[in-house]
Amino acid sequence: MSNFVSPEELSDLREQGAVVRVIDVRWRLDRPDGRAEYLDGHIPGAVYVPLDTELSTHGEASEGRHPLPSTATLQAAVRRWGVDDGDLVVAYDDAKGLAAARAWWLLRQAGVDVRVLEGGIRGWQAAGFGVATDDVAPVPGSAVLHEIGADALTIDEAAAFPASGVLLDVRASERYRGEHEPLDPVAGHIPGAVNLPTMLHLDAEGRILDAETVRANLATVGIAEGTRVAAYCGSGVTAAHTALVLDEVRVDVKVFPGSWSQWSNTPGRPVATGDQPG
């Protein structure tokens, strides 16, 4: 079964009476609060989800910018969205699925049936479907979540991972090489990591490329059937998108949620630069 649902499929599910909870996860690094855009126009019935407070938590800089929320925090959020056990959740955003993938990654671990909307809000509108401008507040749900965290790596596990598998740095290549670092105190990458930007897997509209192309991309960094794979990015959001894409082609991926923001804020961690793993 695909991790994605098309606008037409989502519309059909709702018309057929299926219980679908739609969540709007609009977030970007340059605009972390997407509520204003949500209120300008969202899929009818969609609940706005603030990524920074419901899909992550905050602590010391050495924990990274987007540490995992506790299972209790995520469960409270899911119930606020109106989700009951057995409901289908469909997540979307306006940034090629990056933020929606964070929701997918967390909710899948928690035992929730979850999909990502192909093309996000733009795909929905391009397909001819309308939007609403209300602030949706559904009747609270009663979903009970499984404990999350099994698909996450600690900083020490991430450091050791290249010895037994492929550790993917999925940021833009200039950040991997250490030529440009707009957010964190040190530029470069985790020694042993290879660079495969997640955007290589998408078309111009943010839809995943065909499976053959994705697998060919993976082969360029030594990933084949049976390879152990983990991913990190700047703060654990984009890496979740890589996990989403690779799961679609049946490659299991662990995510280091602390990512470069945790690594670069932890004294004593080695740093590699240039275009080689180091």
Side-chain angles (χ1 to χ4, degrees), residues 48-274:
Y48 175 67
V49 173
L51 183 146
D52 279 348
T53 57
E54 292 192 332
L55 302 180
S56 62
T57 190
H58 295 281
E60 300 298 323
S62 59
E63 296 179 272
R65 283 191 299 278
H66 294 107
L68 295 189
S70 67
T71 302
T73 295
L74 184 62
Q75 180 170 280
V78 167
R79 291 180 176 184
R80 183 187 71 79
W81 311 338
V83 179
D84 295 315
D85 289 332
D87 289 353
L88 171 64
V89 175
V90 174
Y92 74 89
D93 57 37
D94 61 355
K96 298 189 175 181
L98 299 187
R102 171 74 172 209
W104 171 87
W105 183 66
L106 290 172
L107 294 175
R108 183 184 68 156
Q109 294 178 65
V112 176
D113 188 5
V114 58
R115 306 283 188 279
V116 171
L117 180 66
E118 290 179 340
I121 187 66
R122 295 187 182 94
W124 176 264
Q125 292 178 289
F129 298 113
V131 297
T133 58
D134 57 333
D135 193 356
V136 178
V139 174
S142 59
V144 177
L145 302 190
H146 301 166
E147 192 71 24
I148 64 171
D151 289 344
L153 296 183
T154 66
I155 191 170
D156 289 333
E157 289 170 336
F161 200 89
S164 60
V166 175
L167 178 63
L168 294 176
D169 182 318
V170 303
R171 298 173 298 164
S173 296
E174 61 269 22
R175 291 186 71 189
Y176 171 83
R177 293 191 298 266
E179 298 168 358
H180 176 63
E181 183 45 66
L183 298 166
D184 294 311
V186 180
H189 60 265
I190 297 174
V194 298
N195 188 216
L196 188 66
T198 201
M199 290 300 178
L200 291 177
H201 307 305
L202 305 178
D203 66 15
E205 285 72 44
R207 293 179 172 85
I208 184 175
L209 300 175
D210 62 275
E212 182 178 352
T213 300
V214 173
R215 291 192 184 99
N217 287 339
L218 299 178
T220 65
V221 292
I223 297 174
E225 185 176 354
T227 304
R228 295 182 69 238
V229 184
Y232 76 91
C233 55
S235 66
V237 174
T238 305
H241 183 270
T242 289
L244 168 68
V245 170
L246 269 60
D247 187 79
E248 189 72 3
V249 298
R250 304 299 179 260
V251 175
D252 291 331
V253 182
K254 298 289 187 181
V255 170
F256 170 32
S259 285
W260 189 247
S261 59
Q262 181 179 19
W263 188 275
S264 62
N265 278 287
T266 302
R269 293 291 174 176
V271 173
T273 57

